[in-house]
């Protein structure tokens, strides 16, 4: 998929009505828009968004998990799989 198609596919998985992205509900419109816009920007940088990406944003914004901790979790999870 090109970036425009990827964006359309992603937007179909977003709902402003209940502030959800890929089934993950944000507590505020601001968190919803911040995550949505960030992921759309990443699409145009070549990324393909996953529910894990949305969950990472949720953890940072809603649960205040530091970025460093999320990176450590990713390194631990994927570090041995090269």
């Amino acid at each position: 998929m090109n970036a425009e198609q990827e964006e359309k596919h992603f937007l179909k998985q977003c709902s402003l009505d209940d502030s959800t992205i890929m089934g993950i509900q944000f507590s505020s419109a601001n968190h919803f828009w911040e995550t949505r816009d960030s992921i759309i920007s990443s699409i145009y940088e070549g990324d393909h968004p996953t529910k894990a990406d949305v969950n990472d944003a949720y953890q940072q914004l809603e649960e205040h998990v530091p970025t460093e901790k999320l990176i450590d979790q990713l390194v631990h999870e994927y570090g041995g799989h090269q």
Side-chain angles (χ1 to χ4, degrees), residues 16-67:
L16 185 56
D17 293 336
D18 59 1
S19 298
T20 59
I21 301 173
M22 295 182 171
I24 297 174
Q25 187 170 30
F26 291 84
S27 66
S28 71
N30 284 344
H31 288 172
F32 169 85
W33 286 109
E34 185 175 340
T35 301
R36 180 187 169 275
D37 292 347
S38 175
I39 290 175
I40 288 173
S41 292
S42 74
I43 288 170
Y44 285 90
E45 294 171 358
D47 290 337
H48 303 281
T50 65
K51 190 169 185 173
D53 298 324
V54 177
N55 189 52
D56 288 346
Y58 176 87
Q59 288 183 43
Q60 286 181 298
L61 295 169
E62 301 281 338
E63 298 175 356
H64 309 288
V65 175
T67 303

